[in-house]
Amino acid sequence: MQKIKIFIFNKLIGLFLLGIFCFLLISLLTRSEHDPYFGYYTSDANIINFFGLFGSYFAGTVYLFLSDVSYLIPVFFLIFGYKKIIGIETRFITIRFFSFTISLALLSLVLKFWSIQNGIIGNSLLKIINYKFEYLLANNTISFFLFLFLFFITILLLFYGLSLHFKYTLIIIKPFFKIL
């Protein structure tokens, strides 16, 4: 009887996580820059976001802080929800969540350094690094390799946080070594 309760509980938790995935993904995909979010309010009552005001505030705020990196957040809930439903045990969920969160911030930083995106977290971290290590970043070659190394660390943290196997990380990183 206890095994049946655990089985049903895991299925319900998995469905809940997949529900969060759907909400986050649809909110981000239907985000409009004219919808209200943290730091921006409009008197226009026409909210375009599928989930209305709540979805608008979530998507706009997360996009403001992380920019395009925010689209990885639903992936976290998709993977863990799917694993719960099919019965794959995931260990160290708290450590994986913190690893995932740190990897999002670092990825935002690296993409800001390479001028690919412009999120508040990436901007802030880059300003702190420029202030503390200005002498290192003055040399373009050193800063390039420093941020390339940081990118590899970020990918490893991201894959660990998403509970993906290390062999998939090597498949992604291997082409970069051929370029260098």
Side-chain angles (χ1 to χ4, degrees):
M1 188 66 169
Q2 185 67 20
K3 286 185 179 183
I4 294 174
K5 287 181 183 179
I6 292 173
F7 177 79
I8 292 172
F9 180 74
N10 283 336
K11 300 292 182 203
L12 289 175
I13 293 293
L15 286 174
F16 177 72
L17 292 174
L18 287 179
I20 292 174
F21 158 75
C22 291
F23 168 76
L24 298 177
L25 185 65
I26 293 171
S27 291
L28 285 168
L29 291 176
T30 60
R31 181 189 70 81
S32 170
E33 59 187 43
H34 302 295
D35 286 346
Y37 55 87
F38 179 75
Y40 175 77
Y41 179 76
T42 180
S43 60
D44 185 17
N46 187 15
I47 295 175
I48 298 172
N49 195 296
F50 182 79
F51 289 107
L53 187 64
F54 187 67
S56 167
Y57 267 95
F58 167 77
T61 303
V62 168
Y63 194 81
L64 176 71
F65 281 100
L66 292 172
S67 194
D68 292 332
V69 175
S70 61
Y71 290 101
L72 290 173
I73 296 172
V75 174
F76 179 82
F77 290 98
L78 172 68
I79 290 173
F80 282 98
Y82 180 72
K83 284 186 173 193
K84 273 291 195 188
I85 286 178
I86 64 172
I88 297 175
E89 181 184 358
T90 306
R91 302 165 93 184
F92 310 115
I93 188 77
T94 307
I95 296 171
R96 291 183 189 278
F97 177 75
F98 285 120
S99 171
F100 178 73
T101 305
I102 290 169
S103 70
L104 290 181
L106 290 176
L107 187 58
S108 183
L109 166 68
V110 170
L111 294 179
K112 171 59 183 164
F113 177 76
W114 287 334
S115 300
I116 296 175
Q117 75 169 11
N118 196 17
I120 289 178
I121 292 178
N123 286 343
S124 301
L125 289 175
L126 191 59
K127 285 179 183 177
I128 291 169
I129 288 175
N130 277 335
Y131 178 73
K132 295 289 184 183
F133 302 105
E134 184 177 354
Y135 59 92
L136 266 177
L137 297 179
N139 185 340
N140 287 339
T141 306
I142 292 174
S143 62
F144 174 77
F145 284 109
L146 177 70
F147 277 92
L148 188 63
F149 176 73
L150 189 60
F151 177 71
F152 291 137
I153 297 298
T154 302
I155 294 298
L156 291 173
L157 284 172
L158 183 65
F159 271 62
Y160 178 76
L162 291 174
S163 190
L164 299 175
H165 293 287
F166 187 70
K167 65 182 177 182
Y168 301 123
T169 308
L170 292 179
I171 291 170
I172 288 178
I173 291 178
K174 196 173 185 180
F176 286 105
F177 289 114
K178 290 182 182 177
I179 293 171
L180 300 176

